[in-house]
mmCIF file of all heavy atoms in Angstrom:
data_model
loop_
_atom_site.group_PDB
_atom_site.id
_atom_site.type_symbol
_atom_site.label_atom_id
_atom_site.label_comp_id
_atom_site.label_asym_id
_atom_site.label_seq_id
_atom_site.Cartn_x
_atom_site.Cartn_y
_atom_site.Cartn_z
ATOM 1 N N PRO B 493 44.380 -39.483 -12.664
ATOM 2 C CA PRO B 493 44.725 -39.601 -11.252
ATOM 3 C C PRO B 493 43.479 -39.838 -10.388
ATOM 4 O O PRO B 493 42.376 -39.526 -10.786
ATOM 5 C CB PRO B 493 45.359 -38.266 -10.920
ATOM 6 C CG PRO B 493 44.712 -37.315 -11.864
ATOM 7 C CD PRO B 493 44.430 -38.088 -13.133
ATOM 8 N N LYS B 494 43.659 -40.392 -9.271
ATOM 9 C CA LYS B 494 42.588 -40.686 -8.349
ATOM 10 C C LYS B 494 42.488 -39.563 -7.346
ATOM 11 O O LYS B 494 43.410 -39.303 -6.589
ATOM 12 C CB LYS B 494 42.868 -42.007 -7.623
ATOM 13 C CG LYS B 494 41.735 -42.489 -6.764
ATOM 14 C CD LYS B 494 40.581 -43.001 -7.628
ATOM 15 C CE LYS B 494 39.505 -43.604 -6.721
ATOM 16 N NZ LYS B 494 38.306 -44.027 -7.514
ATOM 17 N N ALA B 495 41.302 -38.968 -7.351
ATOM 18 C CA ALA B 495 41.118 -37.845 -6.441
ATOM 19 C C ALA B 495 40.742 -38.352 -5.063
ATOM 20 O O ALA B 495 40.015 -39.340 -4.925
ATOM 21 C CB ALA B 495 40.031 -36.934 -6.964
ATOM 22 N N PRO B 496 41.212 -37.740 -4.038
ATOM 23 C CA PRO B 496 40.872 -38.168 -2.677
ATOM 24 C C PRO B 496 39.415 -37.867 -2.397
ATOM 25 O O PRO B 496 38.783 -37.058 -3.075
ATOM 26 C CB PRO B 496 41.801 -37.334 -1.793
ATOM 27 C CG PRO B 496 42.144 -36.147 -2.632
ATOM 28 C CD PRO B 496 42.104 -36.604 -4.072
ATOM 29 N N PRO B 497 38.847 -38.487 -1.419
ATOM 30 C CA PRO B 497 37.431 -38.284 -1.137
ATOM 31 C C PRO B 497 37.166 -36.850 -0.669
ATOM 32 O O PRO B 497 38.043 -36.138 -0.179
ATOM 33 C CB PRO B 497 37.129 -39.291 -0.031
ATOM 34 C CG PRO B 497 38.436 -39.811 0.439
ATOM 35 C CD PRO B 497 39.471 -39.474 -0.577
ATOM 36 N N ASN B 498 35.951 -36.531 -0.809
ATOM 37 C CA ASN B 498 35.525 -35.186 -0.491
ATOM 38 C C ASN B 498 35.354 -35.008 1.019
ATOM 39 O O ASN B 498 35.202 -35.972 1.775
ATOM 40 C CB ASN B 498 34.206 -34.876 -1.187
ATOM 41 C CG ASN B 498 33.854 -33.393 -1.144
ATOM 42 O OD1 ASN B 498 34.695 -32.578 -0.824
ATOM 43 N ND2 ASN B 498 32.604 -33.093 -1.447
ATOM 44 N N GLN B 499 35.348 -33.839 1.434
ATOM 45 C CA GLN B 499 35.160 -33.545 2.837
ATOM 46 C C GLN B 499 33.706 -33.736 3.245
ATOM 47 O O GLN B 499 32.820 -33.785 2.411
ATOM 48 C CB GLN B 499 35.605 -32.102 3.104
ATOM 49 C CG GLN B 499 34.852 -31.079 2.286
ATOM 50 C CD GLN B 499 35.416 -29.704 2.468
ATOM 51 O OE1 GLN B 499 36.303 -29.477 3.285
ATOM 52 N NE2 GLN B 499 34.911 -28.757 1.707
ATOM 53 N N PHE B 500 33.523 -33.807 4.492
ATOM 54 C CA PHE B 500 32.202 -34.063 5.028
ATOM 55 C C PHE B 500 31.316 -32.846 4.798
ATOM 56 O O PHE B 500 31.734 -31.712 4.964
ATOM 57 C CB PHE B 500 32.313 -34.341 6.529
ATOM 58 C CG PHE B 500 30.982 -34.503 7.200
ATOM 59 C CD1 PHE B 500 30.247 -35.661 7.015
ATOM 60 C CD2 PHE B 500 30.495 -33.497 8.025
ATOM 61 C CE1 PHE B 500 29.030 -35.821 7.662
ATOM 62 C CE2 PHE B 500 29.275 -33.679 8.671
ATOM 63 C CZ PHE B 500 28.533 -34.833 8.502
ATOM 64 N N SER B 501 29.995 -33.146 4.386
ATOM 65 C CA SER B 501 29.031 -32.096 4.142
ATOM 66 C C SER B 501 27.924 -32.173 5.192
ATOM 67 O O SER B 501 27.139 -33.139 5.244
ATOM 68 C CB SER B 501 28.430 -32.247 2.740
ATOM 69 O OG SER B 501 27.389 -31.329 2.535
ATOM 70 N N PRO B 502 27.804 -31.211 6.014
ATOM 71 C CA PRO B 502 26.784 -31.257 7.063
ATOM 72 C C PRO B 502 25.370 -31.163 6.524
ATOM 73 O O PRO B 502 24.427 -31.750 7.081
ATOM 74 C CB PRO B 502 27.134 -30.069 7.960
ATOM 75 C CG PRO B 502 28.024 -29.189 7.141
ATOM 76 C CD PRO B 502 28.668 -30.047 6.107
ATOM 77 N N GLU B 503 25.235 -30.436 5.479
ATOM 78 C CA GLU B 503 23.893 -30.319 4.901
ATOM 79 C C GLU B 503 23.405 -31.665 4.387
ATOM 80 O O GLU B 503 22.231 -32.018 4.552
ATOM 81 C CB GLU B 503 23.922 -29.291 3.752
ATOM 82 C CG GLU B 503 24.258 -27.888 4.176
ATOM 83 C CD GLU B 503 25.759 -27.637 4.249
ATOM 84 O OE1 GLU B 503 26.536 -28.488 3.765
ATOM 85 O OE2 GLU B 503 26.152 -26.600 4.784
ATOM 86 N N ALA B 504 24.284 -32.368 3.719
ATOM 87 C CA ALA B 504 23.909 -33.701 3.233
ATOM 88 C C ALA B 504 23.610 -34.637 4.407
ATOM 89 O O ALA B 504 22.699 -35.479 4.334
ATOM 90 C CB ALA B 504 25.034 -34.262 2.360
ATOM 91 N N PHE B 505 24.377 -34.489 5.469
ATOM 92 C CA PHE B 505 24.119 -35.328 6.639
ATOM 93 C C PHE B 505 22.744 -35.052 7.240
ATOM 94 O O PHE B 505 22.065 -35.975 7.679
ATOM 95 C CB PHE B 505 25.210 -35.085 7.668
ATOM 96 C CG PHE B 505 25.018 -35.836 8.924
ATOM 97 C CD1 PHE B 505 25.284 -37.201 8.965
ATOM 98 C CD2 PHE B 505 24.559 -35.193 10.067
ATOM 99 C CE1 PHE B 505 25.099 -37.922 10.135
ATOM 100 C CE2 PHE B 505 24.364 -35.907 11.245
ATOM 101 C CZ PHE B 505 24.635 -37.267 11.271
ATOM 102 N N MET B 506 22.339 -33.841 7.241
ATOM 103 C CA MET B 506 21.029 -33.474 7.770
ATOM 104 C C MET B 506 19.934 -34.141 6.964
ATOM 105 O O MET B 506 18.956 -34.660 7.535
ATOM 106 C CB MET B 506 20.870 -31.960 7.761
ATOM 107 C CG MET B 506 21.779 -31.233 8.739
ATOM 108 S SD MET B 506 21.774 -29.435 8.497
ATOM 109 C CE MET B 506 20.051 -29.070 8.795
ATOM 110 N N LEU B 507 20.073 -34.104 5.673
ATOM 111 C CA LEU B 507 19.041 -34.726 4.843
ATOM 112 C C LEU B 507 19.051 -36.248 5.032
ATOM 113 O O LEU B 507 17.971 -36.876 5.079
ATOM 114 C CB LEU B 507 19.277 -34.343 3.391
ATOM 115 C CG LEU B 507 18.222 -34.835 2.377
ATOM 116 C CD1 LEU B 507 16.856 -34.292 2.732
ATOM 117 C CD2 LEU B 507 18.622 -34.471 0.962
ATOM 118 N N SER B 508 20.226 -36.795 5.152
ATOM 119 C CA SER B 508 20.308 -38.248 5.353
ATOM 120 C C SER B 508 19.651 -38.642 6.681
ATOM 121 O O SER B 508 18.914 -39.657 6.756
ATOM 122 C CB SER B 508 21.781 -38.672 5.336
ATOM 123 O OG SER B 508 21.905 -40.045 5.679
ATOM 124 N N ARG B 509 19.891 -37.845 7.665
ATOM 125 C CA ARG B 509 19.278 -38.144 8.957
ATOM 126 C C ARG B 509 17.775 -37.987 8.896
ATOM 127 O O ARG B 509 17.022 -38.750 9.517
ATOM 128 C CB ARG B 509 19.874 -37.216 10.000
ATOM 129 C CG ARG B 509 19.503 -37.561 11.429
ATOM 130 C CD ARG B 509 20.208 -36.616 12.376
ATOM 131 N NE ARG B 509 19.795 -35.238 12.151
ATOM 132 C CZ ARG B 509 20.254 -34.213 12.890
ATOM 133 N NH1 ARG B 509 21.143 -34.433 13.842
ATOM 134 N NH2 ARG B 509 19.847 -33.017 12.631
ATOM 135 N N LEU B 510 17.343 -37.033 8.145
ATOM 136 C CA LEU B 510 15.893 -36.819 8.020
ATOM 137 C C LEU B 510 15.215 -38.005 7.360
ATOM 138 O O LEU B 510 14.117 -38.424 7.779
ATOM 139 C CB LEU B 510 15.673 -35.534 7.228
ATOM 140 C CG LEU B 510 14.225 -35.076 7.011
ATOM 141 C CD1 LEU B 510 13.613 -34.693 8.333
ATOM 142 C CD2 LEU B 510 14.185 -33.918 6.030
ATOM 143 N N ILE B 511 15.847 -38.528 6.346
ATOM 144 C CA ILE B 511 15.248 -39.655 5.638
ATOM 145 C C ILE B 511 15.286 -40.908 6.531
ATOM 146 O O ILE B 511 14.352 -41.741 6.545
ATOM 147 C CB ILE B 511 15.968 -39.898 4.308
ATOM 148 C CG1 ILE B 511 15.720 -38.712 3.354
ATOM 149 C CG2 ILE B 511 15.523 -41.194 3.648
ATOM 150 C CD1 ILE B 511 16.482 -38.767 2.047
ATOM 151 N N ASN B 512 16.312 -41.038 7.314
ATOM 152 C CA ASN B 512 16.396 -42.191 8.208
ATOM 153 C C ASN B 512 15.282 -42.186 9.241
ATOM 154 O O ASN B 512 14.875 -43.253 9.726
ATOM 155 C CB ASN B 512 17.751 -42.212 8.907
ATOM 156 C CG ASN B 512 18.843 -42.742 8.004
ATOM 157 O OD1 ASN B 512 18.607 -43.569 7.108
ATOM 158 N ND2 ASN B 512 20.060 -42.294 8.236
ATOM 159 N N GLN B 513 14.799 -41.004 9.534
ATOM 160 C CA GLN B 513 13.749 -40.905 10.550
ATOM 161 C C GLN B 513 12.369 -41.179 9.986
ATOM 162 O O GLN B 513 11.387 -41.193 10.758
ATOM 163 C CB GLN B 513 13.780 -39.501 11.166
ATOM 164 C CG GLN B 513 15.048 -39.230 11.965
ATOM 165 C CD GLN B 513 15.127 -37.783 12.465
ATOM 166 O OE1 GLN B 513 14.280 -36.968 12.123
ATOM 167 N NE2 GLN B 513 16.145 -37.477 13.252
ATOM 168 N N LEU B 514 12.249 -41.358 8.744
ATOM 169 C CA LEU B 514 10.938 -41.617 8.130
ATOM 170 C C LEU B 514 10.470 -43.045 8.466
ATOM 171 O O LEU B 514 11.275 -44.000 8.500
ATOM 172 C CB LEU B 514 11.010 -41.477 6.620
ATOM 173 C CG LEU B 514 11.168 -40.055 6.045
ATOM 174 C CD1 LEU B 514 11.330 -40.090 4.535
ATOM 175 C CD2 LEU B 514 10.007 -39.171 6.452
ATOM 176 N N PRO B 515 9.170 -43.188 8.643
ATOM 177 C CA PRO B 515 8.662 -44.562 8.869
ATOM 178 C C PRO B 515 8.606 -45.355 7.565
ATOM 179 O O PRO B 515 8.787 -44.800 6.495
ATOM 180 C CB PRO B 515 7.258 -44.288 9.406
ATOM 181 C CG PRO B 515 6.863 -42.952 8.858
ATOM 182 C CD PRO B 515 8.133 -42.153 8.727
ATOM 183 N N GLY B 516 8.345 -46.571 7.640
ATOM 184 C CA GLY B 516 8.309 -47.392 6.460
ATOM 185 C C GLY B 516 7.055 -47.059 5.638
ATOM 186 O O GLY B 516 6.008 -46.680 6.144
ATOM 187 N N ASN B 517 7.205 -47.171 4.348
ATOM 188 C CA ASN B 517 6.107 -46.874 3.411
ATOM 189 C C ASN B 517 5.524 -45.471 3.630
ATOM 190 O O ASN B 517 4.311 -45.227 3.466
ATOM 191 C CB ASN B 517 4.985 -47.913 3.493
ATOM 192 C CG ASN B 517 5.469 -49.313 3.175
ATOM 193 O OD1 ASN B 517 6.347 -49.520 2.329
ATOM 194 N ND2 ASN B 517 4.899 -50.306 3.868
ATOM 195 N N ALA B 518 6.398 -44.575 3.992
ATOM 196 C CA ALA B 518 5.947 -43.188 4.204
ATOM 197 C C ALA B 518 5.709 -42.519 2.860
ATOM 198 O O ALA B 518 6.487 -42.686 1.897
ATOM 199 C CB ALA B 518 7.001 -42.398 4.986
ATOM 200 N N PRO B 519 4.600 -41.767 2.754
ATOM 201 C CA PRO B 519 4.342 -41.045 1.501
ATOM 202 C C PRO B 519 5.275 -39.826 1.387
ATOM 203 O O PRO B 519 5.343 -38.983 2.279
ATOM 204 C CB PRO B 519 2.898 -40.620 1.622
ATOM 205 C CG PRO B 519 2.631 -40.557 3.080
ATOM 206 C CD PRO B 519 3.529 -41.557 3.724
ATOM 207 N N VAL B 520 6.037 -39.835 0.317
ATOM 208 C CA VAL B 520 6.997 -38.751 0.070
ATOM 209 C C VAL B 520 6.681 -38.131 -1.279
ATOM 210 O O VAL B 520 6.514 -38.840 -2.284
ATOM 211 C CB VAL B 520 8.440 -39.271 0.104
ATOM 212 C CG1 VAL B 520 9.416 -38.152 -0.282
ATOM 213 C CG2 VAL B 520 8.782 -39.819 1.477
ATOM 214 N N LEU B 521 6.569 -36.861 -1.252
ATOM 215 C CA LEU B 521 6.329 -36.138 -2.506
ATOM 216 C C LEU B 521 7.687 -35.798 -3.123
ATOM 217 O O LEU B 521 8.522 -35.123 -2.502
ATOM 218 C CB LEU B 521 5.553 -34.851 -2.261
ATOM 219 C CG LEU B 521 5.236 -34.001 -3.521
ATOM 220 C CD1 LEU B 521 4.350 -34.753 -4.483
ATOM 221 C CD2 LEU B 521 4.625 -32.670 -3.126
ATOM 222 N N LEU B 522 7.881 -36.211 -4.351
ATOM 223 C CA LEU B 522 9.141 -35.971 -5.056
ATOM 224 C C LEU B 522 8.869 -35.037 -6.223
ATOM 225 O O LEU B 522 8.152 -35.414 -7.172
ATOM 226 C CB LEU B 522 9.725 -37.289 -5.548
ATOM 227 C CG LEU B 522 11.086 -37.206 -6.239
ATOM 228 C CD1 LEU B 522 12.154 -36.686 -5.309
ATOM 229 C CD2 LEU B 522 11.488 -38.561 -6.825
ATOM 230 N N ALA B 523 9.409 -33.851 -6.148
ATOM 231 C CA ALA B 523 9.234 -32.863 -7.223
ATOM 232 C C ALA B 523 10.493 -32.816 -8.077
ATOM 233 O O ALA B 523 11.558 -32.421 -7.603
ATOM 234 C CB ALA B 523 8.951 -31.489 -6.635
ATOM 235 N N VAL B 524 10.347 -33.282 -9.333
ATOM 236 C CA VAL B 524 11.485 -33.324 -10.256
ATOM 237 C C VAL B 524 11.372 -32.102 -11.181
ATOM 238 O O VAL B 524 10.634 -32.111 -12.173
ATOM 239 C CB VAL B 524 11.500 -34.630 -11.061
ATOM 240 C CG1 VAL B 524 12.689 -34.658 -12.001
ATOM 241 C CG2 VAL B 524 11.527 -35.827 -10.114
ATOM 242 N N ASP B 525 12.104 -31.079 -10.816
ATOM 243 C CA ASP B 525 12.029 -29.827 -11.580
ATOM 244 C C ASP B 525 13.389 -29.426 -12.136
ATOM 245 O O ASP B 525 13.834 -28.266 -12.029
ATOM 246 C CB ASP B 525 11.516 -28.694 -10.676
ATOM 247 C CG ASP B 525 10.040 -28.834 -10.367
ATOM 248 O OD1 ASP B 525 9.330 -29.481 -11.148
ATOM 249 O OD2 ASP B 525 9.606 -28.288 -9.343
ATOM 250 N N TYR B 526 14.072 -30.338 -12.742
ATOM 251 C CA TYR B 526 15.305 -29.981 -13.416
ATOM 252 C C TYR B 526 15.250 -30.511 -14.832
ATOM 253 O O TYR B 526 14.649 -31.552 -15.101
ATOM 254 C CB TYR B 526 16.542 -30.484 -12.673
ATOM 255 C CG TYR B 526 16.705 -31.984 -12.589
ATOM 256 C CD1 TYR B 526 17.427 -32.670 -13.553
ATOM 257 C CD2 TYR B 526 16.146 -32.680 -11.539
ATOM 258 C CE1 TYR B 526 17.592 -34.037 -13.470
ATOM 259 C CE2 TYR B 526 16.300 -34.050 -11.441
ATOM 260 C CZ TYR B 526 17.022 -34.720 -12.404
ATOM 261 O OH TYR B 526 17.192 -36.092 -12.325
ATOM 262 N N SER B 527 15.912 -29.784 -15.713
ATOM 263 C CA SER B 527 15.849 -30.113 -17.130
ATOM 264 C C SER B 527 16.919 -31.141 -17.479
ATOM 265 O O SER B 527 17.769 -31.485 -16.662
ATOM 266 C CB SER B 527 16.079 -28.838 -17.959
ATOM 267 O OG SER B 527 17.336 -28.266 -17.661
ATOM 268 N N ALA B 528 16.855 -31.577 -18.677
ATOM 269 C CA ALA B 528 17.776 -32.603 -19.142
ATOM 270 C C ALA B 528 19.197 -32.076 -19.256
ATOM 271 O O ALA B 528 20.144 -32.863 -19.250
ATOM 272 C CB ALA B 528 17.316 -33.148 -20.482
ATOM 273 N N SER B 529 19.386 -30.775 -19.355
ATOM 274 C CA SER B 529 20.734 -30.248 -19.527
ATOM 275 C C SER B 529 21.584 -30.484 -18.285
ATOM 276 O O SER B 529 22.777 -30.777 -18.390
ATOM 277 C CB SER B 529 20.648 -28.758 -19.830
ATOM 278 O OG SER B 529 19.981 -28.075 -18.773
ATOM 279 N N LEU B 530 20.989 -30.410 -17.113
ATOM 280 C CA LEU B 530 21.755 -30.606 -15.884
ATOM 281 C C LEU B 530 21.468 -31.971 -15.277
ATOM 282 O O LEU B 530 21.705 -32.193 -14.077
ATOM 283 C CB LEU B 530 21.417 -29.502 -14.885
ATOM 284 C CG LEU B 530 22.092 -28.161 -15.180
ATOM 285 C CD1 LEU B 530 21.544 -27.067 -14.302
ATOM 286 C CD2 LEU B 530 23.595 -28.260 -15.004
ATOM 287 N N SER B 531 20.935 -32.835 -16.088
ATOM 288 C CA SER B 531 20.654 -34.165 -15.552
ATOM 289 C C SER B 531 21.942 -34.880 -15.163
ATOM 290 O O SER B 531 21.941 -35.717 -14.256
ATOM 291 C CB SER B 531 19.881 -34.974 -16.591
ATOM 292 O OG SER B 531 20.670 -35.180 -17.762
#
Side-chain angles (χ1 to χ4, degrees):
Chain B
K494 187 72 175 176
N498 192 14
Q499 59 186 354
F500 175 74
S501 174
E503 296 85 11
F505 177 75
M506 292 170 61
L507 184 59
S508 173
R509 190 177 62 178
L510 182 66
I511 293 175
N512 282 331
Q513 294 175 354
L514 288 176
N517 300 325
V520 175
L521 180 63
L522 183 62
V524 180
D525 288 336
Y526 65 92
S527 59
S529 59
L530 283 171
S531 64

